[in-house]
Amino acid sequence: MEEKNWPALLILVIIALTVGGNILVILAVSLEKKLQNATNFFLRSLAVADMLVGILVMPVSLINILYAFRGGGGGTAAAVVVTLGPPLPPPRHPPPHISWFSFTPPRLVLHQEDEEEEEEEEEEEEERGAATHYAWPLPSTLCPIWIYLDVLFSTASIMHLCAISLDRYVAIRNPIEHSRFNSRTKAMLKIAAVWTISI
């Protein structure tokens, strides 16, 4: 009986809920005129950022999990041991803001545990036809793009939450001025600023 990949199923459910829920928020704010105010424009933009995470970032994570599960599931791990080697020497001319007392991280040295075990594992690996190490399953040009999109949309979500919190603080602190100067155009400019900062 084959082993079930429960993390992939969980991520698939999360992707569906993320995309579906944020689409509902976008539709609600866009179609219902009573919901079209400055605060809800921020919420709609936040929903767009989260929906893009669900469409462009999370499926690639799912592919990574499925690929790692298929390639390494049920097999023996590679016989590589990580040990700490001697620290790297300090630079000849350190930058002025770095002190000589700063911590120098130790260099990692990889060595094989046993050559015979390694040969046996390679033979088993060839027989199974599956790699025991992880590799990026998609074209290599997509890896930095995926990382960029992940950071971009995650940062945009955080910045939207900060902007919404600041907007609510101002609305509570100065409600009259907030209602007077909180127009649709200014809300759109704030949203554009949030996306610009995120990029």
Side-chain angles (χ1 to χ4, degrees):
M1 185 175 178
E2 291 186 5
E3 185 182 352
K4 301 286 190 296
N5 191 352
W6 296 111
L9 179 62
L10 178 63
I11 288 184
L12 192 61
V13 171
I14 292 172
I15 289 172
L17 292 174
T18 300
V19 174
N22 285 299
I23 286 175
L24 291 176
V25 171
I26 293 167
L27 289 174
V29 176
S30 299
L31 299 177
E32 185 63 41
K33 289 190 176 180
K34 291 180 181 178
L35 295 176
Q36 292 180 1
N37 56 45
T39 302
N40 289 339
F41 290 147
F42 276 112
L43 288 175
R44 182 176 62 185
S45 184
L46 173 63
V48 168
D50 291 341
M51 182 190 67
L52 290 173
V53 169
I55 292 173
L56 298 176
V57 176
M58 295 173 79
V60 180
S61 300
L62 178 63
I63 291 171
N64 285 333
I65 289 175
L66 289 173
Y67 185 81
F69 180 79
R70 184 180 173 195
T76 55
V80 176
V81 178
V82 179
T83 57
L84 296 176
L88 295 172
R92 290 185 181 178
H93 304 289
H97 64 277
I98 295 180
S99 168
W100 280 105
F101 299 103
S102 63
F103 173 72
T104 304
R107 186 164 45 94
L108 295 177
V109 179
L110 300 177
H111 63 84
Q112 300 297 333
E113 200 173 48
D114 189 10
E115 292 181 8
E116 293 178 1
E117 291 180 6
E118 180 188 354
E119 290 175 5
E120 290 175 5
E121 287 180 3
E122 286 178 1
E123 291 173 3
E124 291 174 3
E125 188 177 313
E126 289 174 2
E127 289 173 3
R128 286 195 322 265
T132 57
H133 61 280
Y134 176 78
W136 174 252
L138 300 172
S140 59
T141 53
L142 291 180
C143 184
I145 295 172
W146 174 63
I147 292 171
Y148 170 76
L149 291 176
D150 187 11
V151 173
L152 169 65
F153 297 138
S154 300
T155 305
S157 292
I158 294 168
M159 295 303 295
H160 276 90
L161 292 173
C162 292
I164 291 168
S165 301
L166 188 60
D167 181 65
R168 291 293 86 207
Y169 172 77
V170 172
I172 293 169
R173 192 71 188 260
N174 298 314
I176 297 172
E177 290 182 13
H178 181 266
S179 61
R180 185 186 303 167
F181 296 110
N182 201 12
S183 65
R184 177 175 183 155
T185 307
K186 288 188 178 179
M188 292 301 176
L189 288 174
K190 291 174 187 175
I191 290 169
V194 165
W195 279 102
T196 305
I197 292 169
S198 301
I199 293 171

